[in-house]
Amino acid sequence: MSAESDMEYSDNDGDDYDYYGEQDDCDMEAVDRSKSDPEYFVFSCLRVEEVEKLLNESIELLSNSLQITPSLAKVMLHAYEWNAQEILKKYQENANEVLVYSRVKPSLPLPQGNSSQSVCAVCAGVPSVNKYSALACMHYFCDDCWGMHFEVQIMQGVSNTIQCMAQDCEVRAPEDFVLSHVAKPAIRERYQQFMFKDHVKSHPQLRFCPGPNCQWIYQAWVRVGARRVECRGCELLTCFSCGAPHHAPTDCATIRRWLTKCADDSETANYISAHTKDCPKCQICIEKNGGCNHMQCGACRHDFCWVCLGDWKSHGSEYYECSRYKEDPNLGTDNQHAQAREALKKYLHYYERWENHARSLKLEEQTLASLKSRINQKVMAGEGTWIDWQYLWDAARLLKRCRYTLQYTYPFAYYMENGPRKELFEYQQAQLEAEIENLSWKVERAETTDRGDLENQMDIAEKRRTTLLKDFLEFNTNSASSSKV
Amino acid sequence: MANIAAKRIKREFKEVMNSEEVAGGYIKLALVNDSWTELQGTIVGPPDTPYEGGTFQLEIKVPETYPFNPPKIRFVTKIWHPNVSSVTGAICLDILKDQWAAALTLRTVLLSIQALLSAAEAGDPQDAVVAKQYRESQQLFLLTARHWTNVYAGGPSAIWEFDQKVQRLLDMGIDEHEARVALSHYDWELERATEQLFS
Ligand SMILES: [Zn+2]
Ligand SMILES: [Zn+2]
Ligand SMILES: [Zn+2]
Ligand SMILES: [Zn+2]
Ligand SMILES: [Zn+2]
Ligand SMILES: [Zn+2]
């Protein structure tokens, strides 16, 4: 079946290699890519100002249509995940319901006879009438208390969801009300920063680039399945749907499981291999907690040697006799503990390969950097122009991309059920792996390899990669959308 | 301490002292120091619960930002309850966390904790072991809670069988509280508790 897939892609002549590269795309290319690249996904990478403009458009639309303040429009948009059309439609049907759902108005009837002359319930002071205010719920408190309340909440990182101070009241304080009670410029600024972050997070079409200190924001319209977005600033590859590092062919739920497992198990796995062994007699797992190699099993009282698992009695007091017993561990396989061990072995098999490719990818990063300076040197020395050496650069980037996909095939395989589909997957995975190693060898010796030979290898590796993605990413997306509730 | 916090606490202290609950002996509040940053609360176990007849001490710490942040409250008296840690006395109660409102007062909080003793929130457990027993062996839970009330909070009903089991472990040289915790955790099965203590 691999021959067939190769045929399918034989018209692919390698001119679409820079989609992991600089974002100088034009629409013509985009059309081509959607055909040749199984991971193709429409998105934009926006600056903070562009996103602010975009959010303001929704805010203005809503505040103009409903004749409300922009502050109230923000509260409502936040509650309705920025779907202004839905708000307008529902508002026509039942305005009160929309206001209660957005927590602009209280769900319970207003308190009766709440005289604004009484004591402020928070500070127990008696403020003058004009230093007293309330939200739509008519719970009056003094302005100093409101100010303190907002300051405390803002310092704790709360912004859009700051509530009224009354017991059991869930009415939210809109921006203008908050700002009219907070004077300190630093706190006001913090509040507005948190508001913006919160707006982006509550917006289904937006996502912050998770790169460290990166300010770019992605915009896209589909939020299911493994969706590749690449940052214009830090070049990080992210999955738009879930925010994890881009993970095709693995789906969002599986990569979350895998990453959690790796985080949970990395210690356990190291600990188990370093500190525990099975008792050679009864296969109970035994933990080593001291330097002594003479072990005694707590369950069956068998004395044995930690190093070789041999019977301690035949060891005498001499350690050098140890190696003799190496071939005599006599381990059974049909108990629960052996099964747990087997599961761990399986996990370690995939984990080691996953880790290994992650490490190689970091090295590939260095290769790219040194290649760039080598090409620069050549150009400076008059050995051709950048255009002449572009193919080398492309090859190194392609290598990085292939390895990236290869790394993410391991969690996919780990969770796959045994059967012909898994066999096919692992067959394609092995093929991809082999071609990547070939390519890697050739890239490292690129200046001495024949250019045609290198380009041919690039072609083969990329075909393996797209074939695998095409066969399994589609399956993946389908199952992701069908399992969505 | 911030002016507003001290002012509020003083007022609340008066409110509690003049309340009918104090008059009826259901709750108490006492000062620990002059700075009003720490108080000692007392609630009595509500009737028709395994805590009936017990007196429970609470540690109340008033933060600098009170009342904009909730007071920090934990049980000092050991108690067997799904929403209270049997180890630290930490309480899982929404109004002490995200449902806190600046307008809430110590009186309301003390009464809410007392109400929690009458109606546990099994869906929001603080102590997983206690919560499991509460869900799965209700009878055993009631007896264990009554036993703890008797031993730690001065409750009236001793559970003879449990006392005997604790004594057995005591005779083996185990600390009394440790023994009681182990037995309570293992549904009063002496063998499993012993195994755990000696492992
Ligand atoms: Zn006030
Ligand atoms: Zn209110
Ligand atoms: Zn970025
Ligand atoms: Zn994802
Ligand atoms: Zn053994
Ligand atoms: Zn040995």
Side-chain angles (χ1 to χ4, degrees):
Chain A
M1 62 303 69
S2 82
E4 234 177 66
S5 331
D6 283 353
M7 293 285 281
E8 258 179 82
Y9 288 97
S10 56
D11 59 340
N12 199 353
D13 52 15
D15 59 357
D16 53 358
Y17 279 149
D18 63 331
Y19 51 68
Y20 273 63
E22 290 83 36
Q23 304 258 327
D24 49 350
D25 22 1
C26 65
D27 289 343
M28 283 270 285
E29 271 176 300
V31 174
D32 281 340
R33 284 176 194 175
S34 62
K35 276 194 212 138
S36 64
D37 177 7
E39 293 181 284
Y40 183 73
F41 180 57
V42 183
F43 73 98
S44 0
C45 198
L46 306 175
R47 291 172 202 283
V48 170
E49 309 84 74
E50 293 172 293
V51 172
E52 275 169 344
K53 197 167 155 256
L54 195 138
L55 294 176
N56 279 332
E57 278 164 16
S58 302
I59 295 163
E60 255 171 58
L61 169 77
L62 197 65
S63 79
N64 289 339
S65 316
L66 299 185
Q67 295 294 302
I68 55 174
T69 62
S71 288
L72 277 184
K74 281 187 198 180
V75 178
M76 291 163 75
L77 283 163
H78 186 261
Y80 282 90
E81 296 184 336
W82 295 84
N83 192 339
Q85 295 310 324
E86 192 194 336
I87 299 177
L88 291 174
K89 191 176 132 255
K90 289 205 167 149
Y91 199 86
Q92 291 275 308
E93 292 160 9
N94 189 338
N96 192 55
E97 207 174 275
V98 172
L99 293 171
V100 168
Y101 180 80
S102 314
R103 303 198 184 175
V104 168
K105 275 180 71 179
S107 50
L108 304 164
L110 296 182
Q112 290 298 302
N114 190 334
S115 142
S116 52
Q117 249 65 15
S118 64
V119 179
C120 167
V122 171
C123 66
V126 186
S128 54
V129 183
N130 55 0
K131 298 200 78 187
Y132 224 40
S133 43
L135 293 166
C137 53
M138 307 302 274
H139 291 124
Y140 277 91
F141 300 99
C142 82
D143 288 338
D144 290 345
C145 284
W146 280 118
M148 292 276 281
H149 174 55
F150 294 143
E151 207 172 292
V152 167
Q153 294 289 309
I154 293 164
M155 290 315 283
Q156 288 168 0
V158 190
S159 58
N160 279 291
T161 54
I162 300 180
Q163 292 184 358
C164 169
M165 292 191 282
Q167 186 179 349
D168 295 329
C169 181
E170 294 186 324
V171 171
R172 287 182 178 167
E175 188 182 25
D176 51 0
F177 189 84
V178 173
L179 289 178
S180 71
H181 287 94
V182 176
K184 291 180 192 156
I187 309 256
R188 291 171 72 94
E189 198 178 313
R190 230 180 126 99
Y191 172 68
Q192 272 159 328
Q193 277 169 6
F194 286 141
M195 285 282 270
F196 178 71
K197 276 194 186 144
D198 209 16
H199 285 157
V200 171
K201 282 182 190 156
S202 64
H203 200 303
Q205 283 146 25
L206 299 174
R207 178 181 290 285
F208 278 108
C209 169
N213 301 316
C214 186
Q215 296 287 311
W216 289 91
I217 297 157
Y218 305 115
Q219 182 186 27
W221 293 265
V222 179
R223 221 176 170 134
V224 61
R227 301 292 181 180
R228 182 193 65 212
V229 290
E230 181 178 13
C231 180
R232 282 166 87 163
C234 67
E235 296 192 359
L236 207 66
L237 297 180
T238 302
C239 168
F240 184 77
S241 302
C242 70
H246 176 53
H247 48 72
T250 306
D251 66 57
C252 298
T254 307
I255 198 66
R256 197 175 325 121
R257 258 174 92 189
W258 172 255
L259 293 174
T260 315
K261 182 172 177 56
C262 291
D264 291 351
D265 289 4
S266 62
E267 277 174 54
T268 332
N270 291 336
Y271 187 78
I272 287 178
S273 51
H275 296 280
T276 67
K277 282 181 183 171
D278 293 348
C279 164
K281 205 168 180 186
C282 72
Q283 276 81 50
I284 286 272
C285 189
I286 303 197
E287 191 180 326
K288 181 169 160 65
N289 41 26
C292 178
N293 283 318
H294 176 186
M295 306 299 292
Q296 190 187 48
C297 171
C300 72
R301 304 281 163 205
H302 176 58
D303 289 279
F304 67 97
C305 163
W306 176 259
V307 181
C308 67
L309 300 177
D311 194 332
W312 188 260
K313 273 176 276 175
S314 51
H315 261 64
S317 52
E318 311 287 0
Y319 260 98
Y320 54 77
E321 293 198 63
C322 191
S323 53
R324 256 206 281 160
Y325 300 94
K326 244 176 197 159
E327 287 154 22
D328 191 31
N330 198 19
L331 294 168
T333 49
D334 52 354
N335 64 59
Q336 217 181 358
H337 188 71
Q339 277 167 23
R341 265 307 162 82
E342 194 47 43
L344 182 66
K345 248 166 73 187
K346 178 188 165 191
Y347 165 66
L348 287 175
H349 171 90
Y350 290 97
Y351 180 75
E352 277 163 15
R353 280 152 187 81
W354 153 270
E355 259 296 301
N356 183 45
H357 287 298
R359 272 195 303 273
S360 301
L361 250 164
K362 285 212 183 79
L363 293 176
E364 257 24 305
E365 204 80 60
Q366 294 170 13
T367 312
L368 268 172
S370 78
L371 188 68
K372 196 171 200 166
S373 70
R374 255 155 55 214
I375 296 177
N376 275 333
Q377 276 168 18
K378 284 178 199 294
V379 174
M380 298 287 272
E383 291 178 52
T385 63
W386 247 96
I387 296 167
D388 297 323
W389 297 107
Q390 180 72 39
Y391 79 97
L392 253 184
W393 181 247
D394 292 344
R397 293 192 68 102
L398 179 105
L399 175 60
K400 186 181 157 193
R401 166 164 96 234
C402 286
R403 220 183 257 296
Y404 190 99
T405 303
L406 182 60
Q407 184 192 347
Y408 282 89
T409 59
Y410 283 99
F412 188 84
Y414 175 77
Y415 290 108
M416 250 181 140
E417 272 176 44
N418 289 333
R421 197 165 167 78
K422 181 168 185 174
E423 277 162 33
L424 172 67
F425 183 79
E426 293 200 318
Y427 173 78
Q428 294 195 6
Q429 184 186 41
Q431 295 226 307
L432 175 62
E433 186 147 24
E435 298 307 342
I436 285 175
E437 296 316 331
N438 283 340
L439 180 63
S440 184
W441 195 88
K442 284 176 178 159
V443 167
E444 272 167 30
R445 292 155 187 80
E447 287 121 313
T448 54
T449 345
D450 175 55
R451 176 172 172 172
D453 192 22
L454 180 65
E455 284 178 341
N456 192 33
Q457 187 58 43
M458 286 165 70
D459 206 23
I460 295 172
E462 179 62 0
K463 263 179 210 152
R464 296 284 184 225
R465 191 182 83 91
T466 46
T467 304
L468 184 141
L469 284 176
K470 205 182 178 230
D471 289 357
F472 290 91
L473 189 57
E474 209 172 13
F475 163 74
N476 205 335
T477 320
N478 286 343
S479 67
S481 45
S482 62
S483 67
K484 204 178 167 249
V485 272
Chain B
M1 187 178 207
N3 189 24
I4 179 163
K7 202 170 155 195
R8 256 285 296 262
I9 284 293
K10 282 179 198 165
R11 203 174 87 114
E12 288 183 51
F13 189 73
K14 256 190 242 157
E15 182 200 34
V16 172
M17 291 325 237
N18 297 329
S19 69
E20 51 190 79
E21 291 88 19
V22 164
Y26 303 114
I27 60 173
K28 255 192 256 170
L29 194 59
L31 281 174
V32 173
N33 55 29
D34 294 338
S35 63
W36 299 85
T37 54
E38 190 173 336
L39 298 103
Q40 191 187 58
T42 308
I43 54 176
V44 303
D48 303 320
T49 71
Y51 311 103
E52 183 170 8
T55 307
F56 299 87
Q57 305 285 345
L58 298 158
E59 175 190 273
I60 304 171
K61 290 198 165 153
V62 184
E64 188 76 13
T65 49
Y66 187 79
F68 304 101
N69 276 323
K72 292 188 171 56
I73 305 186
R74 67 173 192 96
F75 273 89
V76 177
T77 308
K78 298 201 181 326
I79 182 169
W80 191 253
H81 186 283
N83 303 110
V84 183
S85 162
S86 59
V87 181
T88 63
I91 306 167
C92 185
L93 181 63
D94 57 355
I95 60 161
L96 291 177
K97 292 173 181 164
D98 54 331
Q99 289 305 304
W100 170 254
L104 270 165
T105 67
L106 284 180
R107 176 174 164 264
T108 329
V109 170
L110 288 176
L111 293 175
S112 303
I113 295 173
Q114 198 171 37
L116 191 65
L117 300 190
S118 306
E121 290 277 353
D124 194 12
Q126 173 79 39
D127 195 308
V129 178
V130 185
K132 187 168 184 285
Q133 194 183 64
Y134 178 83
R135 279 195 314 268
E136 291 169 10
S137 0
Q138 178 82 172
Q139 201 51 40
L140 207 55
F141 164 78
L142 290 174
L143 285 173
T144 308
R146 185 157 290 146
H147 170 72
W148 281 52
T149 305
N150 169 244
V151 176
Y152 297 117
S157 28
I159 313 288
W160 186 80
E161 186 202 334
F162 291 176
D163 288 335
Q164 291 301 302
K165 286 183 175 169
V166 172
Q167 188 58 47
R168 289 273 298 278
L169 290 175
L170 227 67
D171 294 341
M172 295 184 210
I174 289 171
D175 168 77
E176 183 187 329
H177 181 59
E178 239 178 84
R180 183 165 294 114
V181 169
L183 284 163
S184 305
H185 276 212
Y186 288 100
D187 292 346
W188 297 92
E189 287 174 26
L190 196 54
E191 216 165 277
R192 278 166 68 208
T194 319
E195 208 172 275
Q196 189 260 327
L197 285 165
F198 285 103
S199 70

